[in-house]
Amino acid sequence: MTRVATHGNYQSALLSLMNAQGRAQQAQERIDSEKIATDMSGYGRGAEQLTSLTSTQARLEGFISTGEAVKARLSAQDLAMSRIYEGGNAAREAIANSLAAGRIDNLMVELGLNYQTVQGGLNAEHQGSYLFAGGQSDIAPATAATMADLTAAPSTAATFANDTLKQKSRIDEKTTVETGFLASEIGGPLTEVFRNIQAFQNGTAVTVGGVTYTPAGAGTLTGQPDANVTAFLKAQMGELDKANAGLTNQTAKNGLIQNHVETALDAQENQKIALQKMMQDKSGYDPARAITDLQMAQVAIEASAQIINSLRSTSLLNLLR
């Protein structure tokens, strides 16, 4: 004879209700997250592969973040170098125009303004740090504010405060790129020209290309230039051409690095998209299926609830009465 116990029926119905509620909660979580589970324990044997994919994704996002920062810095360096070139080229044109006009009355004023343009480029900042200061990014690398300050220093090198440490950036697993430039390297030749012109104006002999030019006295760069002044200024034009050409090469190098970084970023973005698809395939859950699971679980909950409710009126005690 099979025994029937009210307590056992209640326990069975209650267990079915709890299981249905658990399935409903799981289905709702899958609908909200569109994932199979909210933690790795829910993926079973696939958790190890997902962990590896997640680690790869974190490293990739780190490289992308670094690449974006490097890209922004290189763009700022390009603008700064263009400004330096603008000052050097304008100085060359000022000398050429003055000699062509036969008067150099305002030449030193123009050159002073051109030098300030150069100095502004050398002291350019990006995100609160000086671009061309090397490791001492909190110190302005070009210290001479005027051409007079240049001649007050013992040498051109003494007017630069940058160190020799160039910034390097790791843009992927195997590639580290030197992205930094030093003010003394990109601006040293131009600064030397401005310093020589100011020294000549002060009455000091200047040697350029093995030729020594001796001024008649202080303040000779004004009025109508004589043969000596003309020869000196033409020699400085040649030095400006060399300095500007060197700066153009440095700007081109910066551009090549920009292209390399952008190519790496494009590859990483494509890799990121592919990786996201792989992770979605491994961890994603079909929303339509999740909705179906939820509906089935709700039906099971209702059925279990009805059974429990019916058991209240079918107690063996009622039959004994």
Side-chain angles (χ1 to χ4, degrees), residues 199-273:
F200 191 86
Q201 172 71 346
N202 293 346
T204 304
V206 175
T207 300
V208 180
V211 179
T212 300
Y213 298 90
T214 304
T220 57
L221 296 180
T222 188
Q224 186 174 356
D226 57 21
N228 183 51
V229 169
T230 299
F232 170 75
L233 290 177
K234 285 184 176 180
Q236 296 311 304
M237 287 173 61
E239 293 301 307
L240 284 170
D241 287 337
K242 294 178 185 178
N244 288 331
L247 182 57
T248 299
N249 290 336
Q250 295 278 28
T251 304
K253 179 182 177 181
N254 186 79
L256 290 174
I257 298 172
Q258 277 183 291
N259 292 336
H260 185 69
V261 171
E262 289 175 1
T263 299
L265 276 174
D266 289 341
Q268 288 163 354
E269 288 292 349
N270 292 334
Q271 186 180 353
K272 179 181 178 181
I273 293 173

Side-chain angles (χ1 to χ4, degrees), residues 140-161:
T143 60
T146 65
M147 291 176 64
D149 294 335
L150 291 175
T151 53
S155 65
T156 299
T159 65
F160 290 98

Side-chain angles (χ1 to χ4, degrees), residues 17 50 71 105 114 141 151 177 180 198 220 290 302-303 305 312 316:
L17 177 62
L50 275 175
K71 180 181 176 181
D105 299 280
N114 298 148
T151 53
V177 181
Q198 183 64 53
T220 57
E302 292 175 0
R312 294 174 58 188
L316 292 178

Side-chain angles (χ1 to χ4, degrees), residues 96-117:
N97 293 337
S98 295
L99 290 178
R103 302 289 301 184
I104 56 173
D105 299 280
N106 297 317
L107 179 59
M108 289 303 296
V109 175
E110 287 188 66
L111 293 178
L113 295 173
N114 298 148
Y115 170 71
Q116 289 183 353
T117 299

